[in-house]
Amino acid sequence: MDPQGGFEPQVGQIRALRTFRIDPDGVLYPLFSNHPWHDGANTARCLQDRPPHPSPDPDCTCGFYAFGREQWAREHPRSRHVLAVVSCWGRVVAGTRGLRAEHCRIEALWLSAAVPAELVERVRRNHPTVAVHRDRSRMLAAHPPTELDCYEPPAAGTGRSAGRLWWSAAVAAAALGVLPAPWLGGSGSAALLSVVLGTAFGLAALPLARSGADVGWSGRRLLCLGTSLWLLAGFLGVIGLVFVRLPLLQVAAVAGLQHACLLAEGRRIPADVPAPRHDEAP
């Protein structure tokens, strides 16, 4: 099932989470659109070049996106400073980690200490019906998201600390794979260590590849597969270096650069929002 589009539940208003950009005037903008959100009800519409249809549509990507739980909203660096509880109604297409909705209203908004006080006041003036909080936990306690049956269950070992642990283990294993054999007790010990670690990371990825509903672990699956390939490529000599390790390094560099850009953009408050184009969906 798609993380934010699977079936259409017949329910009333649903609370969910999303983040926004804030321009210098205190106007809230989506992450990937330059059409501002207004105080009160906002209505989605599809602007793609296809036959007109209500938004959201199960066969389209239109609609207002929102996350079902805070742990999923954290994937966007901007949510570390701006997090909103939105009420969703109308046509609602829900998936395993969130939903797409026809109508949304910002019910509550948390702004971190990184948001200047004067900018917070501008946001309050633009959204007088929104409860603006400076304490994230209090906002979520006062406006808890709606738990839908289609959301994937919380898995043990998820979250930021578990992710750091997996990344630390992968980096340590990759570093061991390039150390000189004498440092590891000789060529035999080095080869055995690479085989054991490569097999362990490969096995850690296999259950994830078989579980289509385990959307939250897709990043860990790629990390385990890449680490396993890196370690086992050492047995291929120059071929492994050119055709496995160098491409993996390139992919890691591109992913790291993208993540750094997202972090930099997430810390940019207020955001630099260009003028909207006519072909952008809200």
Side-chain angles (χ1 to χ4, degrees):
M1 184 183 290
D2 187 87
Q4 288 170 304
F7 75 98
E8 188 174 350
Q10 302 298 320
V11 294
Q13 291 194 10
I14 301 172
R15 279 178 176 166
L17 302 170
R18 60 173 292 147
T19 184
F20 291 94
R21 295 174 295 164
I22 308 175
D23 80 348
D25 296 323
V27 179
L28 300 179
Y29 287 86
L31 295 182
F32 306 109
S33 169
N34 296 329
H35 290 266
W37 275 46
H38 308 287
D39 191 49
N42 295 266
T43 301
R45 59 192 179 95
C46 183
L47 298 181
Q48 296 190 35
D49 187 15
R50 52 177 298 176
H53 58 272
S55 180
D57 189 283
D59 298 323
C60 185
T61 59
C62 58
F64 291 130
Y65 285 71
F67 290 98
R69 296 198 190 106
E70 183 188 11
Q71 67 189 75
W72 299 326
R74 287 199 203 108
E75 294 178 356
H76 290 282
R78 193 169 291 277
S79 69
R80 301 176 186 179
H81 302 292
V82 181
L83 185 67
V85 178
V86 293
S87 296
C88 310
W89 70 94
R91 292 175 60 88
V92 176
V93 178
T96 58
R97 308 182 77 188
L99 52 83
R100 292 184 286 133
E102 179 183 10
H103 303 293
C104 276
R105 176 180 63 86
I106 304 175
E107 183 176 316
L109 181 68
W110 167 77
L111 303 174
S112 78
V115 182
E118 60 271 16
L119 188 58
V120 174
E121 291 306 313
R122 292 173 195 156
V123 173
R124 291 182 191 270
R125 288 197 297 268
N126 291 325
H127 298 269
T129 67
V130 175
V132 179
H133 293 256
R134 300 293 267 181
D135 187 304
R136 185 186 186 115
S137 59
R138 287 187 178 180
M139 181 193 73
L140 293 174
H143 308 270
T146 305
E147 188 69 27
L148 298 181
D149 293 338
C150 59
Y151 292 161
E152 62 183 53
T158 60
R160 197 173 301 175
S161 59
R164 290 172 180 167
L165 181 61
W166 277 101
W167 273 102
S168 299
V171 170
L176 288 174
V178 297
L179 289 178
W183 292 17
L184 301 175
S187 57
S189 298
L192 179 60
L193 181 62
S194 295
V195 169
V196 170
L197 291 175
T199 303
F201 276 97
L203 291 175
L206 286 178
L208 308 177
R210 295 171 184 169
S211 179
D214 197 5
V215 181
W217 292 102
S218 58
R220 194 191 77 176
R221 176 175 65 90
L222 294 176
L223 178 65
C224 291
L225 287 173
T227 306
S228 179
L229 290 173
W230 175 276
L231 291 166
L232 299 179
F235 296 99
L236 301 178
V238 177
I239 294 177
L241 174 64
V242 174
F243 293 101
V244 179
R245 287 189 170 179
L246 287 181
L248 286 174
L249 284 175
Q250 292 175 334
V251 171
V254 171
L257 180 61
Q258 290 178 338
H259 186 66
C261 291
L262 283 175
L263 289 176
E265 179 63 24
R267 289 193 294 265
R268 186 178 298 172
I269 300 173
D272 183 14
V273 182
R277 302 195 313 264
H278 294 294
D279 59 344
E280 286 183 326

